[in-house]
Every structure is written in structure tokens, then in C-alpha cells.
Amino acid sequence: MSAEKISTDKKKIFKPAPISGFPEWLPEVRAVEQGWLDHIRRVFESYGYCNIETPAVEALDAIRAKGEDVDKEIYVLERLHKDENDAKEARLALHFDQTVPMARYVAQHFNELDFPFKRYQMQKVWRGERPQMGRMREFYQCDIDVINVDQLPLHFDAEVAAVMFEILSGLDIGRVQLRISTRKVWMGFLDSLDIHTKEGGTTKLDQAIKAEILSDIDKLEKIGKEVTLQRIEQTCLVANYGFSVQTLIAPFLDLCEKKYATADSLVEAIQSHREINGNNPIMKEGIEELSFVMDQLAHLPEGAAVVDLSIVRGLDYYTGTVYETQLENFQGSICSGGRYDDLAGSYINKHLPGVGISIGFSRLFDVMRQSGKLPVGRKCPTDILVALWDEESRGEAAATAHTLRGNGWNVELYHAPQKIGKQFGYAEKKGIPYVWLPPSENENFHQIKDMTAKEQKPADPKTWVKT
Amino acid sequence: MSAEKISTDKKKIFKPAPISGFPEWLPEVRAVEQGWLDHIRRVFESYGYCNIETPAVEALDAIRAKGEDVDKEIYVLERLHKDENDAKEARLALHFDQTVPMARYVAQHFNELDFPFKRYQMQKVWRGERPQMGRMREFYQCDIDVINVDQLPLHFDAEVAAVMFEILSGLDIGRVQLRISTRKVWMGFLDSLDIHTKEGGTTKLDQAIKAEILSDIDKLEKIGKEVTLQRIEQTCLVANYGFSVQTLIAPFLDLCEKKYATADSLVEAIQSHREINGNNPIMKEGIEELSFVMDQLAHLPEGAAVVDLSIVRGLDYYTGTVYETQLENFQGSICSGGRYDDLAGSYINKHLPGVGISIGFSRLFDVMRQSGKLPVGRKCPTDILVALWDEESRGEAAATAHTLRGNGWNVELYHAPQKIGKQFGYAEKKGIPYVWLPPSENENFHQIKDMTAKEQKPADPKTWVKT
């Protein structure tokens, strides 16, 4: 963390050190990261999502417009030498996600966008957290969202999930499972409950308490059923409801212990619990939606997408479908999201429902890196190193490199007429697969050496085309 | 600039506004920007440059290690809710270029890199300047640099220039001219001068004054010869040299008025001025180097690269070859750089000479955008919109979309079974070139409609492959 100044006789040296939470990679690791980002972009675009890029900063007031408590994660910017004019400008903060900037963007450019607006965004975000083991303060997120005016077809709830599955299953990171639910099922169930009051009557849970209960359930997998029920009880007691709300909720929590291949099998499970009222209209709507989404994902491999009622997402703004993604042998979700009713509505007087998913890219990448599961990347993108015999033949060597480059190869011309062994050594060290040998004193034809197979054969730069 | 809060009956709305100096584009403009960035990356890689990406921040002390006065451009980061622990950590600042981060990176990872280290970097940088017409505070730079230990072959001085010419001439932005010089020619000339002292003797200009004179010359094109000479005179007077240094310098300044196709023609011009001492060893070394670089660029189109002695670059760290790039009908350099002897040496006790060039990407892009010279980009990457007749045929439509995607196309499945006219309208609005019509009640075969040619014909999704 700390950086120290070291003085030498010759010159003053500032010895650099890594900054906690701001990772950077060697070229061979960055090459793999670039490959991942290219793959993700390719899949996003193959489903017709357009790209936008928003500034690193937003007005601080814009970031806080949703009213959520995000302050502790916010980095603000200041000019090192600020003057009285700085105070007249809006205070700027680095964005901590891409959802807020996207919502702000859609509102700001509303009249110039076409709806349904399908966009992807792959940028770094920043979180000013205290440094902790493995906690990143700068990281890539890769998001897709669809936003529409007034009403957004359920089609997209299935599409964004299919896109993410295609991306993750193409990354060679192990088996991936989409865990899907909708907050409507839980909201409907909570809505169906008649709660005993201390005065002996019954009442319904109010909205704020329902949201708090969902927050409790969001931690189910981490803290277990017992503790979750205790927390729910606590939440309800604080709200001054009568005792034993947990006994009402326990049966539904039991449903979270299994995963369901289809919405139908969830319905069966619900029906098998006689104490659950399956007729609540919100719950029914939720199950219909879930059923549609799961049907659209039926073409995925078995087990790729499951219904999992324990998925509720912590954030209040989700209103329908919610997603998390589990990677085998990995704790926590690597890719999450859901449907929100009116996120962009904080910035414009329109009703703009949306649905989206985000990959926590850098976290996933770093987990794979640390577990040694990344392929070894190349130190440079060079396919062919053209050898340089001597200064006299530099022109011909340069022309050969130029021709090969025109044929689609990445080509370096060796930088000095050094001994050929040294040039081979350079290619080996950098992992360059081919060395091209222009005509020399000894041989009056071009040759190419395959550095892996250790084979050398005549070749013509004009016809040596990358396929 | 300012953002205002508007209250409505329904909800609180934060109306967003652009933030001066932090541009963002609509999807169709971003698509063109992405195309440019892809092109640049492709050319960088075709010459074997590897990519690195450094964090957005550096330790403030690292940024200041070169000792240059960059403070006024620096944005520092602060956590919105900082506590006493924050003061214990190194202060962080957003990088204002990619040269300082690259130098720091090379020093930090020295033992893990292979030299000569050829890297490219394409990131945003931030400058905390006062907002001004056209001045950006966040922008992309696209840099290549080569760094080696102890001694860096001149080969790379030519290569980085060739790479940049290939990039710029491939961007369809008009005629581009590389203007090349070396600070050694000017340094040698200034070194050759015998300056009259006030005491009546002669002396040599000291190093600091030479650097200041080069700073004056750097503005020659902007301020003209007369003012430049006055400034030089001023610089020398302040330094307490005798009068009329300008008469000594004027002949060499005359040489700046022309551009030279080769180093030889510059030598001829120097020789035609009898008052210039062409035998200074530094000048001779400079001319030899310039000659090598220009020879390596001789394969470029006529006028693509010229020798221009008015190019000296303002920054002190340049020690040899320097470059600027002129675009027709455009004031200022869009791509500049040079050779530096020991930039990374601020961070490590090694001698690490380098050479590099940087494209001021966002500025160039925005100039083209504002002058209406950018092609119109696509609103989305979709090639084919698959129409959806009704809910019953959704499965088949989705399968068709899947097949076409597998054939390399970017494909959207229309999101709802609406009237076909509405679906065509969506494709038209978003500029999607093809609409795919799966079998329907009326026709039992697949058809594709070319939206530009307004032609419709039978087609098979399995054989409709992107070439």
C-alpha cells in the first residue's frame, strides 16, 4: 500500500507500489482479459444490443437521486488546486455502477433514442470502500438493459437471461446455473397473509415491512433458515405486529430449499402446502411471468436455468423477475439483475420500465486468475517475427513485413541486425509462433520457421495468408 | 452546466444536464467511435504491440515524480465520507496522460516484462481544467511506446511513426502529414553558438536556456517568427547574456519556414547558410538519426512524412526524434510524441530510453463530428430482425433467430406478436437492413426482406451465412 521515496546518489527515485483495490495485469493476463471482453461484446451485439459509454463521472446529485444509501461507496473529484469558481460547479463523483448512469442517460437523451432501447455497457466503475481482502475499488462491469416506455414485453426478461447464459457458458469457467425468480411470488405470498395484531384482530403486512422481509430472505443462503426466520420475526416485532409471523412464513421458506426445473413444478410444490394460499393475484401473476420466462429458456441445456425462490435481490427497485448466477465451486453470484419498474423515472416524468443483468466482470476474472484457471495468454499479439540479416537488407525485410501484414498477420520486423540466434531467442521469449527468414547470403529464397514444431521451410510472403 | 431539481406532484425528479468537458455520444455516434478504436487497436497489434491497461488513478506522489508542473490539471479523489483512516493512505489522483502511468508500470513490473517492451494503451485520461470552449476534461488517448534497457534502436523511431501514419490514413479524415524533427539538430545548433557576454567575452548557452529557447520555438507556428525572436531575445536577456542573440538564431529559424522531403535536403539548406556551423557533433548526430528515420519512411506516399525543424515539442523530457501530425484544414497537432531518454528512470534505478507517439483521440473524433465529416453510424448492430407472427410460432421464430446467430449474424427476435407493419417500422427506425419472415399462415416457407432494396425472397436460415 505505502509508497516510499528512495534517494540515490544519481537521482531521486519514487519507488512505485500497487494501490490496494486497483488491480493491473501483465500483458499476458491483459490479453486474456481483452479476449473475454471481446467475447462478451460479440454476444451482446449478436442479440442487437447497442453500446453506449457514459463519462466516468456523474453530478453527485444525480447519483443520489434514487435516494438509496450509496454514499459510503462514493468517490468525489476535486481539482488539486481548486479556486472559488469550483464551488459554483456541480460536484462530480465517479459512478459506482452503470445502472444509474444508464437511467440518467436515457432520461437526458429520451427524444433521440428508439424504444425499446437495448443497450450494453462495459466500463470501469469505482467504489470508495475501505481496502479489504479481495475487495476491488476499480472494476469492470458488463451490463445489458432494455428500457421501454410505459410497458416492457416480458420477452426481454427471458432474452437478457439467455444472453448472459451464452456469454458465461462460452468463457470456459465451469458449469454455470441461472437462478431465476420473481419478487411477485414472494410479494403475493406476503400479501396473502393475515397477521395477528396485539389487539387480537388481523391485518396485512405493510409495503415497507414486506421489502424488509425480502431483504432478510436475500441473505437466506448465507445465514440459513433459522437465522432468517429469527430476523423476520425481529423485523415484524419492531413493526409492532403480533408474535409468530415466522410460523406463517416458514412454509414458504421451505419452498426455497429446492430448485425447480419449471414454473409448473413450483406450482405443484406450492399446492402441496395446504397452508399457502396460492390464489393471491400478485402471486399468480408472478408465476405466469416466471412460466413464460422459463419456457423461453427451455432450449438451454438441462439445469442451465432453474426457478429458485431464495433469489429476491436486496435492492428495492426490483419489481418482477430477478436473476442470480451460480458458478460451480464458487460462493456468491457472478451475474445478477432483474426487472425494475421505474428507475429512469428519477430523471424524467415518464414511466420507463426496464430489465437488465450485470456481470461483475473483474471479480469473476480475478477469481479465475487466482485459482489458476485462466489460460496462459500471449505476451504480445505478434504472429510472425521477420528476421533482419544486416542493414543492407533492411529494406527488403521491411517490405516482407509489410506484405505479410497486408495478408492479415501481426508482424514485427526485428529491430537490429543481430545474430540470428538472438532473434530466435526474442521470438521464443515473447511466444511468437513464427520467424520469417528473408533471402540471405546462404539461401536465395524466403523461409518460415515454426517455433513450436521447430520446422523450417521455404515460403512466399505473397501467398502466406492468414485464414 | 447546472442541474436543477424539479418537483412534480407525482415524484421528485432530478433533471440531468450535460457536464462541461465530459462528452457522451448517442449510440449511432458511439458506433463510429468504437469502429475507430477497433481500427487503431488492429493496426497497433499488426505491428506486435501488446496492450496494457493501468488503473484510472495513480498515487499523487507518483504523478508528480517527474517534477513537472502538472498540478493545475490534476483531479484528486476523496471518499465522500472520509474518516481518519483515509489520511493514512496514499493520496490518489486520476491520470492526466498515459505516459506517466506507463513509465510507472514499466518500473514496477520491470522483472516480469520482456524488452524491448512494445506496448499500446487506449484509455481515458482526465484533466481538471477550467471548462472552456471545446476543452475536454475526459478524453481517450491512444498511445504506443517502446522502452528498452540502456539503449533503444533507432528502428523504433521510424516504426512508431509508420504505425501512426497507417492508422490516421485509414480513418478517412483527410490528408495527414507527419512532421518529423529531432531536438538534437536544434540543440547542436544552439551548442555551436558563441554568445557575446556583457563583459565583452564569449560563452556558450547553458542547458536550461537552451530548453527555454526550444519552448519559445515550439510556439513558432502560432506566434510567428518576429514574436518568437523577441521571446528568445527576452529569454536570453533575463539570463544575462549580451544583446542580439536573436541575430545568431534568425538564420536557423529561417530553415523552419520550409519542409524537407529528406534529411539530405535539410543538409543542403543548412550548408547554404554560411553563418551556420554544420559541424557541431550533436547536430550531425541528429541529422544522421533523422536520415535513418526518413529513409525507413520512404515507402509512404509522397508528402506523408516531412522534416520540419519547427517541431521541437514543449516538454523537456524529449531528447531526440520528435513528431507532430498535421491534418489538412486543421490547426494543431492531432498526434504527437518523441524519444525520451529516461522517463521510467524516475521510478527505478535503471536507464530506460523510450520513444512513443500519442493520438489525441477524442479531440480528433470530436473535430470530425462537429465538422459533419463522420459517417452516419448504425443505431444498433442488428443485421436481421426476425418477425414474430403470433405467440404460437414464438418457438420457431426463436429457433430461427438462434440458427442465424450461429451463422455469424447479429439477430433480434421481435419482442411481441404485433402487426407486421409495426415490425417493419421498428427495423426501419433502427436501420436494421434485413427482416426475416418465418413461415406463416399464408406462406409455408421462410423469406427475407432486404429493407434497402425493398425486395423479399425465399431463404433458408441454415444456409443464410454471413460472409
Side-chain angles (χ1 to χ4, degrees):
Chain A
M1 252 324 299
S2 79
E4 38 174 336
K5 288 211 170 174
I6 291 174
S7 281
T8 66
D9 286 331
K10 274 175 59 199
K11 53 186 177 182
K12 222 171 184 179
I13 286 173
F14 175 88
K15 199 181 164 206
I19 304 170
S20 172
F22 290 85
E24 71 182 3
W25 314 128
L26 289 172
E28 55 269 36
V29 179
R30 170 64 185 160
V32 179
E33 185 182 54
Q34 268 191 323
W36 279 33
L37 291 167
D38 288 344
H39 163 72
I40 294 172
R41 174 179 163 191
R42 208 157 40 235
V43 178
F44 284 162
E45 295 190 351
S46 79
Y47 282 80
Y49 287 73
C50 72
N51 182 240
I52 67 166
E53 202 163 88
T54 63
V57 302
E58 297 286 332
L60 180 59
D61 289 343
I63 281 189
R64 286 164 145 181
K66 268 304 285 176
E68 315 239 3
D69 181 26
V70 291
D71 279 11
K72 70 177 167 42
E73 298 189 339
I74 292 179
Y75 272 125
V76 289
L77 252 56
E78 279 188 8
R79 295 202 309 138
L80 184 58
H81 295 299
K82 56 187 171 195
D83 55 36
E84 70 280 3
N85 288 313
D86 287 71
K88 293 179 199 153
E89 284 194 66
R91 223 169 153 195
L92 303 179
L94 293 176
H95 54 224
F96 63 90
D97 73 359
Q98 297 178 134
T99 310
V100 168
M102 181 268 303
R104 191 269 310 148
Y105 179 98
V106 167
Q108 188 173 324
H109 304 286
F110 182 79
N111 293 321
E112 295 155 294
L113 300 177
D114 294 306
F115 293 90
F117 181 59
K118 299 171 71 170
R119 85 86 178 80
Y120 75 93
Q121 208 165 339
M122 302 166 67
Q123 294 183 240
K124 285 181 175 165
V125 303
W126 294 270
R127 298 206 177 158
E129 298 182 90
R130 306 255 85 247
Q132 286 177 47
M133 250 297 285
R135 205 48 89 76
M136 290 181 176
R137 302 201 279 188
E138 173 180 75
F139 52 96
Y140 272 109
Q141 283 191 338
C142 301
D143 291 14
I144 41 172
D145 285 85
V146 188
I147 288 201
N148 203 17
V149 185
D150 294 331
Q151 197 266 335
L152 179 72
L154 211 54
H155 165 80
F156 294 111
D157 296 54
E159 182 173 279
V160 296
V163 170
M164 286 306 191
F165 183 80
E166 189 168 328
I167 283 172
L168 295 170
S169 58
L171 280 180
D172 195 21
I173 53 177
R175 246 171 66 95
V176 166
Q177 185 171 59
L178 294 172
R179 301 159 74 190
I180 304 178
S181 185
T182 164
R183 283 170 70 106
K184 285 184 183 169
V185 173
W186 263 108
M187 290 303 264
F189 168 72
L190 295 176
D191 188 58
S192 75
L193 299 179
D194 292 312
I195 309 288
H196 293 276
T197 62
K198 286 185 178 162
E199 294 75 30
T202 63
T203 183
K204 293 289 181 187
L205 291 166
D206 75 43
Q207 284 305 114
I209 292 295
K210 284 185 212 162
E212 271 193 65
I213 292 174
L214 287 191
S215 281
D216 293 332
I217 293 162
D218 186 44
K219 295 173 196 78
L220 175 62
E221 198 165 31
K222 230 186 245 171
I223 61 180
K225 188 176 160 190
E226 289 315 306
V227 181
T228 303
L229 281 171
Q230 283 162 27
R231 287 203 183 174
I232 291 171
E233 191 68 15
Q234 199 65 32
T235 299
C236 293
L237 277 177
V238 169
N240 215 17
Y241 292 119
F243 49 91
S244 273
V245 171
Q246 57 169 298
T247 56
L248 294 172
I249 289 176
F252 216 70
L253 219 50
D254 287 342
L255 297 175
C256 295
E257 282 171 1
K258 273 184 64 185
K259 289 168 186 174
Y260 306 90
T262 62
D264 282 350
S265 47
L266 171 66
V267 171
E268 277 170 37
I270 291 175
Q271 284 166 348
S272 72
H273 281 269
R274 287 185 48 204
E275 59 274 52
I276 299 174
N277 171 6
N279 290 318
N280 177 279
I282 301 170
M283 193 195 293
K284 280 181 131 170
E285 189 180 299
I287 284 171
E288 263 171 47
E289 291 181 6
L290 206 47
S291 183
F292 178 89
V293 170
M294 292 304 291
D295 279 357
Q296 301 315 307
L297 299 175
H299 67 284
L300 298 182
E302 207 187 314
V306 293
V307 173
D308 183 340
L309 280 195
S310 75
I311 306 304
V312 293
R313 305 295 299 143
L315 292 164
D316 280 3
Y317 59 68
Y318 291 117
T319 51
T321 315
V322 281
Y323 321 87
E324 291 196 1
T325 311
Q326 197 174 23
L327 186 61
E328 57 181 348
N329 307 319
F330 181 71
Q331 183 81 14
S333 175
I334 56 170
C335 172
S336 319
R339 175 178 274 253
Y340 39 87
D341 208 44
D342 202 17
L343 200 56
S346 307
Y347 306 102
I348 190 169
N349 205 353
K350 304 259 179 209
H351 180 224
L352 298 170
V355 64
I357 310 195
S358 171
I359 305 178
F361 179 89
S362 297
R363 184 162 165 250
L364 175 61
F365 185 77
D366 201 36
V367 163
M368 290 295 139
R369 189 186 64 87
Q370 290 190 33
S371 64
K373 285 183 184 152
L374 288 187
V376 178
R378 293 175 62 183
K379 289 186 171 185
C380 67
T382 313
D383 301 313
I384 303 173
L385 176 72
V386 174
L388 181 61
W389 296 115
D390 45 38
E391 277 305 334
E392 292 68 49
S393 63
R394 186 184 277 274
E396 186 175 357
T400 302
H402 187 74
T403 303
L404 290 168
R405 230 171 257 132
N407 292 349
W409 300 99
N410 295 336
V411 183
E412 278 186 66
L413 171 59
Y414 194 73
H415 46 270
Q418 292 168 339
K419 283 191 182 139
I420 192 68
K422 192 154 185 189
Q423 303 191 35
F424 281 131
Y426 175 84
E428 208 140 9
K429 195 176 63 172
K430 286 208 165 181
I432 300 173
Y434 295 102
V435 175
W436 192 278
L437 303 163
S440 68
E441 281 176 356
N442 307 320
E443 319 264 24
N444 64 351
F445 49 88
H446 289 272
Q447 292 181 88
I448 190 161
K449 179 168 182 178
D450 181 329
M451 297 297 287
T452 320
K454 308 273 178 209
E455 280 169 6
Q456 194 166 315
K457 61 179 178 188
D460 179 354
K462 285 197 206 73
T463 57
W464 194 266
V465 177
K466 190 163 191 172
T467 46
Chain B
M1 254 321 303
S2 79
E4 37 174 335
K5 289 210 172 178
I6 291 174
S7 281
T8 66
D9 285 332
K10 274 175 60 197
K11 53 186 177 182
K12 222 171 183 179
I13 285 173
F14 174 89
K15 199 180 163 209
I19 305 171
S20 172
F22 290 85
E24 72 183 2
W25 314 129
L26 289 172
E28 55 268 36
V29 179
R30 170 63 185 160
V32 179
E33 186 181 54
Q34 268 191 322
W36 278 34
L37 291 167
D38 288 344
H39 164 73
I40 293 171
R41 174 179 162 190
R42 207 156 42 235
V43 178
F44 284 163
E45 295 190 350
S46 79
Y47 281 81
Y49 287 74
C50 72
N51 182 241
I52 67 167
E53 203 163 88
T54 63
V57 302
E58 297 286 332
L60 181 58
D61 290 342
I63 282 190
R64 285 165 148 179
K66 268 304 284 175
E68 314 238 4
D69 181 28
V70 291
D71 279 11
K72 69 175 169 42
E73 298 188 339
I74 291 179
Y75 273 124
V76 288
L77 251 56
E78 281 189 4
R79 295 202 309 138
L80 184 58
H81 294 301
K82 57 186 169 194
D83 56 37
E84 69 280 4
N85 287 313
D86 287 71
K88 293 179 199 153
E89 284 194 68
R91 220 167 155 198
L92 303 178
L94 292 176
H95 55 223
F96 63 90
D97 73 1
Q98 297 179 133
T99 310
V100 168
M102 181 269 303
R104 192 268 312 146
Y105 178 97
V106 168
Q108 189 172 323
H109 304 286
F110 183 79
N111 292 322
E112 295 155 295
L113 300 178
D114 294 305
F115 293 91
F117 181 59
K118 300 171 71 171
R119 86 85 178 79
Y120 74 93
Q121 209 166 338
M122 302 169 65
Q123 293 183 242
K124 285 182 175 164
V125 303
W126 294 271
R127 299 208 176 156
E129 298 181 272
R130 305 255 87 246
Q132 286 177 46
M133 248 298 285
R135 203 51 86 81
M136 289 180 177
R137 302 200 279 186
E138 174 182 73
F139 53 95
Y140 271 110
Q141 282 191 340
C142 301
D143 291 14
I144 40 172
D145 285 85
V146 188
I147 289 201
N148 204 17
V149 186
D150 294 330
Q151 197 266 336
L152 179 72
L154 212 52
H155 165 80
F156 294 111
D157 295 55
E159 183 173 278
V160 295
V163 170
M164 286 305 191
F165 184 79
E166 190 168 327
I167 283 172
L168 295 170
S169 58
L171 280 180
D172 195 22
I173 53 177
R175 245 171 65 94
V176 166
Q177 186 170 59
L178 294 173
R179 300 158 74 189
I180 303 178
S181 186
T182 165
R183 282 169 72 106
K184 286 185 184 169
V185 172
W186 263 108
M187 290 304 262
F189 168 72
L190 293 176
D191 187 59
S192 74
L193 298 179
D194 292 312
I195 309 289
H196 292 277
T197 62
K198 286 185 176 163
E199 294 74 29
T202 64
T203 184
K204 293 290 181 187
L205 291 166
D206 76 44
Q207 285 304 114
I209 292 295
K210 284 186 212 163
E212 271 196 63
I213 292 174
L214 288 191
S215 282
D216 293 332
I217 293 162
D218 185 45
K219 296 172 195 80
L220 175 63
E221 196 164 31
K222 229 186 245 172
I223 62 180
K225 188 176 160 189
E226 289 315 305
V227 181
T228 304
L229 281 171
Q230 282 162 26
R231 288 203 183 174
I232 291 172
E233 191 69 15
Q234 200 66 32
T235 299
C236 292
L237 276 177
V238 170
N240 215 20
Y241 292 119
F243 48 92
S244 271
V245 172
Q246 58 168 298
T247 56
L248 294 172
I249 290 175
F252 216 71
L253 219 49
D254 287 342
L255 297 176
C256 295
E257 283 171 0
K258 273 184 64 184
K259 289 167 185 171
Y260 306 90
T262 62
D264 283 349
S265 48
L266 171 66
V267 171
E268 277 169 37
I270 291 175
Q271 284 167 347
S272 73
H273 280 270
R274 288 185 49 203
E275 59 274 51
I276 299 175
N277 172 5
N279 289 320
N280 177 279
I282 301 169
M283 193 196 292
K284 279 181 131 171
E285 188 180 301
I287 284 171
E288 263 172 47
E289 291 181 5
L290 206 47
S291 184
F292 178 89
V293 170
M294 293 303 291
D295 279 357
Q296 301 314 309
L297 299 174
H299 67 283
L300 298 182
E302 207 187 313
V306 292
V307 173
D308 183 340
L309 281 194
S310 74
I311 306 304
V312 292
R313 305 297 297 146
L315 292 164
D316 279 4
Y317 57 69
Y318 290 116
T319 51
T321 315
V322 282
Y323 321 87
E324 291 196 359
T325 312
Q326 197 173 23
L327 186 61
E328 58 180 347
N329 306 320
F330 180 72
Q331 185 79 16
S333 174
I334 55 170
C335 172
S336 319
R339 175 179 273 252
Y340 40 87
D341 209 43
D342 203 17
L343 201 54
S346 307
Y347 307 102
I348 191 169
N349 205 353
K350 304 260 178 208
H351 180 224
L352 298 169
V355 64
I357 311 195
S358 171
I359 305 179
F361 179 90
S362 297
R363 182 161 167 251
L364 174 61
F365 185 78
D366 200 36
V367 163
M368 290 296 139
R369 190 186 64 88
Q370 288 190 33
S371 64
K373 285 182 185 154
L374 288 188
V376 178
R378 293 174 63 184
K379 289 185 171 185
C380 66
T382 314
D383 301 313
I384 302 173
L385 176 72
V386 174
L388 180 61
W389 295 117
D390 45 40
E391 278 305 333
E392 291 68 50
S393 63
R394 187 185 277 274
E396 186 175 358
T400 302
H402 187 75
T403 303
L404 291 167
R405 231 172 257 131
N407 292 348
W409 299 99
N410 296 334
V411 183
E412 279 186 64
L413 169 60
Y414 194 73
H415 45 271
Q418 293 168 339
K419 282 192 181 137
I420 192 66
K422 193 156 185 189
Q423 303 191 37
F424 282 131
Y426 175 83
E428 207 140 12
K429 193 176 64 171
K430 286 210 167 178
I432 299 172
Y434 295 101
V435 174
W436 192 278
L437 303 163
S440 68
E441 281 176 358
N442 307 320
E443 319 264 23
N444 64 351
F445 50 86
H446 289 273
Q447 292 182 85
I448 190 160
K449 180 167 181 177
D450 181 330
M451 297 297 287
T452 320
K454 308 274 178 208
E455 278 169 8
Q456 193 166 319
K457 61 179 177 187
D460 180 353
K462 286 196 206 71
T463 56
W464 194 266
V465 177
K466 190 163 190 173
T467 47

